[in-house]
Amino acid sequence: MHFKARAVAQLADAGVQSNLKKAKGKFVDKRRDAIAEFLAQGGDFEALREAGMELRNRVLADLDLWLEKFEVNATARGAKVLWARDGAEACRLIVDIAKRHGVKKATKSKSMLSEEAGLNQALEAAGIQPVETDLGEYILQINDNEPPSHIIAPVVHKSKEEIADLFARVHKKPRLTDIGEMTREAREVLRSHFLSADMGISGGNFLVAETGSVALVTNEGNGRMVTTVPKVHVVITGIEKVIPTLEDLSLLLRLLIRSATGQPISNYVSLLTGMKGEGDLDGPENMYFVLVDNGRSDLLASEFNDMLRCIRCGACMNHCPVYQTIGGHAYGWVYPGPMGSVLTPLYMGMENALDLPHAATLCNQCGVVCPVKIPLPDLLRTLREKQVEKKLRPLSERLALKAWAWVATRPALYALGTKFAVRYLNWLAGGGKSIAVLGAAPEWTAGRDFPAPQGRTFREMYARRKRS
Amino acid sequence: MNDSRDLILGRIRERLGRSPANVAPAQTAMDVALAAKSAGPRPRTDADLVAAFRARSEALASTVDQVACLADVPRAVAAYLAEHKLPARAVCVPDLAGLDWRGAGVEVEARGAIDHDLVGITGCFRAIAETGTLMLCTGRATPATVSLLPETHIAVVPATAIVDGMEEAWSAARSEFGQMPRAVNFISGPSRTGDIEQTIVLGAHGPYRVHVVIAHGQ
């Protein structure tokens, strides 16, 4: 199913629509309040965004050296650093690790890369039970491995009633409807998994080159659980996540958390370096990093290099009018919203995601909230250009664009054209302020009216003003 | 495995136009950045660190008590446990086992926590005024589970351990440990989730309650 069909289905789903409406104000308000509080504390959020952008650019410009530095320091603390070209190789490496350590059950804290790689399916196929432990991801897993619809709030599309039904069915317990009680029930189910798992798998918010560590940000504490209790800890993360120092980590945390959940800090931030030391009472005995490329290196130093700065906060989707209307599932892959509309065609092939670069109004809400100043509308526009260059757009559209360009470069013809267009649109509006059905593009007015042009064209007004 | 490493790094070098001529200056710039450890833009420093730490901890849904000195901590903890109808029994990081818990009527066991422990008592390495955050470092006498598995986490914070921001805490960790401990855990209030309808619920996987006791003197 293509984007358009999926978007139509999401628009027609009253449940999804009502859940999206409930969520949309919350993220936006919380971020705004957190930034206001930071300003009141004497912080300068714009200066922070600028510094965040500069820092991420600096790392990407010497990514090879920073990765090598990270590898040296992580290895010095006893961790094993493995490299995977794509998701399939990452899965193979992790299944091998699990087999080597006789792992039967692996608890997982949230990792978008493991979604990219399809890691849960690979573990299951190898007879290893993966257990998602982020509450949202857990809900999706027990609902027949439903994909997430948001990178930090994976079940934003679901109501508590749907989740209550699911819990009653899967947990085989009386149906609860209080969110606090439902959370406690999930806590108890997951607690037994935490304590019995042989391996913990986490993503990585950042890799710190200076210390060879992974930094994890969670609110629930599941990130701490999966990296404290099991005897093996595997970090699966992208090669672009490396940063130089702990001070840089502090800078990026100030940006990431406010942009993501609107908190000044998440409940838990953990910096994990190496394994359980002699005499330590807890901690894993083995630590592995699986650094995954999966298309990232191709973006380096390309016109899409800016996208590699992304720190996966979700602010772009929270503020996107398209995402707010259709939700994450319509985007069809792991990453939704504006960042997904850029990443999906780049990682999955442009020809496999033709609609996504067009699923944007280019209003630049995403650009102004991005904590590392990724010019998302520019990248979407560049993708659109590439589609035309590669002849991936329909012939009719390409011809229409050519015709438009031909007219637009001939001022007299253009003036005449717009004059007639205005008259035509006014005729369609029948003297009213809006047009119910747009003749040439009826799809445009399927869900809304088209505003009728008001008064004269810009060129007419300009010509008149020049005369007077 | 090594194949993939070389292929990925090779691809990166090719994209970046890495050459023998530009590798040395880039290495130098990297070493400079690693040595400088410069901080990014930061909020204003608080004049009263203890008051700022306390106010921000409370904003994170932690509760805060203050006592004159470390020796007063067990009695304050006993009072908190009684007030919340919790048993006067706790698992405690070995680091703090030396306080007179028995004298205050609290039975403590110095070890890592297990599933059924209801109360865990820890110290902290530093506490951060900017956000009201506790910084705990793991080690032989400071297991990570004590602040994680029990439903109630009580943290003892010497007032002298309260610093401005994370940057001061990193410097302290570098000079005290030389290298980073296995786990540095920053804790900011009780565990929480907002996954169901973006409604915040306390006590997701970690503690439901975090109680901080600030000790002003030794």
Side-chain angles (χ1 to χ4, degrees):
Chain A
M1 196 157 62
H2 288 292
F3 172 78
K4 259 194 198 165
R6 282 190 305 258
V8 169
Q10 297 291 314
L11 280 168
D13 188 324
V16 168
Q17 286 298 312
S18 130
N19 299 333
L20 285 172
K21 279 207 182 72
K22 266 190 252 172
K24 100 179 186 191
K26 290 191 187 174
F27 281 120
V28 172
D29 293 351
K30 281 185 180 170
R31 175 186 174 277
R32 186 198 55 213
D33 294 349
I35 291 171
E37 197 187 310
F38 186 65
L39 298 182
Q41 231 174 304
D44 181 343
F45 201 70
E46 284 309 302
L48 206 57
R49 286 177 73 221
E50 189 69 30
M53 174 184 80
E54 189 275 329
L55 164 66
R56 294 291 293 139
N57 279 343
R58 194 151 47 81
V59 175
L60 293 173
D62 292 315
L63 187 62
D64 52 340
L65 302 178
W66 286 113
L67 282 168
E68 285 172 320
K69 179 63 84 180
F70 169 79
E71 185 183 38
V72 165
N73 287 332
T75 309
R77 290 294 297 270
K80 292 184 184 69
V81 179
L82 310 174
W83 304 70
R85 271 165 294 173
D86 53 25
E89 187 173 15
C91 289
R92 274 200 303 281
L93 289 170
I94 295 174
V95 166
D96 282 352
I97 294 167
K99 286 188 172 157
R100 196 173 322 137
H101 293 285
V103 171
K104 296 200 169 54
K105 184 194 288 184
T107 41
K108 281 183 69 201
S109 119
K110 216 164 138 36
S111 152
M112 294 314 292
L113 216 149
S114 79
E115 302 272 346
E116 271 183 52
L119 178 60
N120 286 0
Q121 292 82 335
L123 287 169
E124 272 169 15
I128 299 147
Q129 183 192 358
V131 181
E132 292 287 353
T133 63
D134 171 85
L135 179 59
E137 295 281 351
Y138 169 71
I139 290 167
L140 295 174
Q141 189 182 28
I142 61 173
N143 193 33
D144 290 333
N145 296 310
E146 186 184 343
S149 71
H150 190 289
I151 60 169
I152 64 158
V155 288
V156 66
H157 60 288
K158 276 200 179 335
S159 69
K160 74 166 183 182
E161 300 299 328
E162 293 170 78
I163 298 165
D165 290 341
L166 179 69
F167 276 13
R169 182 160 51 85
V170 176
H171 294 162
K172 298 189 175 57
K173 285 190 177 166
R175 186 176 185 273
L176 300 171
T177 50
D178 176 79
I179 295 177
E181 288 174 12
M182 290 160 71
T183 304
R184 182 173 264 277
E185 187 176 294
R187 171 190 171 107
E188 280 162 10
V189 171
L190 286 168
R191 183 57 78 95
S192 67
H193 286 303
F194 282 128
L195 299 175
S196 59
D198 327 278
M199 180 159 105
I201 301 172
S202 74
N205 290 93
F206 300 104
L207 300 172
V208 183
E210 172 197 355
T211 53
S213 323
V214 61
L216 290 183
V217 177
T218 75
N219 276 315
E220 298 183 359
N222 57 327
R224 288 192 60 194
M225 288 281 187
V226 308
T227 61
T228 303
V229 186
K231 62 183 183 199
V232 185
H233 174 202
V234 178
V235 180
I236 171 172
T237 196
I239 51 169
E240 85 284 18
K241 290 292 187 82
V242 66
I243 59 171
T245 65
L246 296 169
E247 281 71 13
D248 296 327
L249 174 63
S250 304
L251 187 165
L252 290 167
L253 290 173
R254 286 188 185 100
L255 277 171
L256 168 69
I257 301 164
R258 286 182 178 87
S259 302
T261 53
Q263 293 166 283
I265 181 100
S266 347
N267 284 91
Y268 300 107
V269 174
S270 297
L271 183 84
L272 304 162
T273 318
M275 294 91 69
K276 179 178 182 176
E278 221 186 294
D280 279 359
L281 297 172
D282 48 38
E285 289 154 25
N286 300 276
M287 188 188 203
Y288 295 88
F289 287 94
V290 177
L291 307 182
V292 189
D293 184 340
N294 207 29
R296 286 156 175 79
S297 59
D298 289 339
L299 307 191
L300 267 179
S302 77
E303 58 267 71
F304 300 105
N305 187 66
D306 289 340
M307 196 59 224
L308 291 173
R309 289 204 295 271
C310 180
I311 56 175
R312 304 289 192 265
C313 69
C316 60
M317 59 199 75
N318 293 338
H319 290 76
C320 175
V322 177
Y323 178 91
Q324 285 171 350
T325 311
I326 59 173
H329 282 162
Y331 293 81
W333 194 52
V334 178
Y335 301 109
M339 55 86 85
S341 292
V342 175
L343 284 178
T344 305
L346 292 176
Y347 289 171
M348 300 300 282
M350 256 177 233
E351 62 288 357
N352 296 319
L354 282 180
D355 286 331
L356 289 187
H358 300 267
T361 63
L362 303 183
C363 70
N364 199 30
Q365 271 287 315
C366 51
V368 296
V369 297
C370 176
V372 285
K373 299 179 97 165
I374 300 171
L376 287 154
D378 292 347
L379 299 180
L380 289 167
R381 214 177 282 118
T382 309
L383 279 167
R384 293 180 185 185
E385 286 168 18
K386 295 249 158 196
Q387 288 185 349
V388 174
E389 278 167 27
K390 294 185 175 214
K391 299 203 173 20
L392 288 169
R393 299 308 303 170
L395 184 65
S396 59
E397 185 184 306
R398 279 184 283 136
L399 286 177
L401 279 175
K402 275 213 169 104
W404 186 85
W406 192 80
V407 174
T409 48
R410 287 162 178 80
L413 202 57
Y414 186 82
L416 191 71
T418 51
K419 206 166 152 185
F420 277 114
V422 166
R423 304 297 181 271
Y424 170 66
L425 289 172
N426 274 324
W427 175 75
L428 276 180
K433 287 203 162 144
S434 55
I435 299 164
V437 181
L438 198 57
E443 266 191 335
W444 186 275
T445 45
R448 68 201 146 175
D449 284 347
F450 189 82
Q454 303 289 310
R456 312 212 151 258
T457 67
F458 172 80
R459 296 172 64 98
E460 285 167 341
M461 287 193 291
Y462 186 76
R464 181 169 302 180
R465 210 179 128 161
K466 237 173 153 179
R467 278 198 301 274
S468 57
Chain B
M1 260 178 316
N2 264 339
D3 277 358
S4 293
R5 177 188 187 279
D6 294 344
L7 281 166
I8 294 168
L9 284 172
R11 175 84 183 127
I12 295 173
R13 290 188 195 109
E14 179 192 319
R15 294 288 324 168
L16 295 176
R18 182 66 68 212
S19 68
N22 66 27
V23 69
Q27 286 277 7
T28 312
M30 187 166 84
D31 292 340
V32 169
L34 284 171
K37 301 178 176 31
S38 25
R42 297 180 56 178
R44 198 171 37 236
T45 304
D46 294 292
D48 183 342
L49 287 181
V50 176
F53 171 74
R54 176 174 190 149
R56 297 204 181 102
S57 293
E58 286 170 345
L60 299 168
S62 297
T63 51
V64 183
D65 193 4
Q66 302 198 52
V67 296
C69 62
L70 267 180
D72 292 341
V73 167
R75 256 178 298 140
V77 169
Y80 173 84
L81 295 175
E83 190 195 327
H84 289 80
K85 303 196 169 47
L86 290 163
R89 196 169 55 244
V91 55
C92 170
V93 292
D95 220 17
L96 284 178
L99 294 176
D100 184 15
W101 297 103
R102 185 166 303 200
V106 182
E107 188 191 320
V108 302
E109 286 181 39
R111 53 172 168 80
I114 53 169
D115 188 27
H116 299 295
D117 290 320
L118 287 176
V119 180
I121 303 173
T122 72
C124 78
F125 175 69
R126 289 291 182 275
I128 291 160
E130 183 187 326
T131 48
T133 299
L134 302 163
M135 179 195 195
L136 274 61
C137 297
T138 58
R140 288 177 198 188
T142 49
T145 43
V146 183
S147 61
L148 182 63
L149 296 177
E151 292 189 0
T152 302
H153 170 207
I154 299 175
V156 180
V157 177
T160 49
I162 302 174
V163 295
D164 276 333
M166 240 183 213
E167 285 81 351
E168 286 71 25
W170 293 133
S171 308
R174 284 190 191 105
S175 57
E176 185 140 338
F177 304 117
Q179 59 176 19
M180 285 298 128
R182 180 195 72 80
V184 177
N185 289 305
F186 292 94
I187 301 173
S188 305
S191 143
R192 69 185 66 196
T193 178
D195 273 348
I196 303 179
E197 295 194 346
Q198 279 59 60
T199 303
I200 302 296
V201 175
L202 297 185
H205 295 305
Y208 285 81
R209 287 165 293 273
V210 173
H211 182 62
V212 177
V213 183
I214 302 174
H216 282 268
Q218 279 308 300

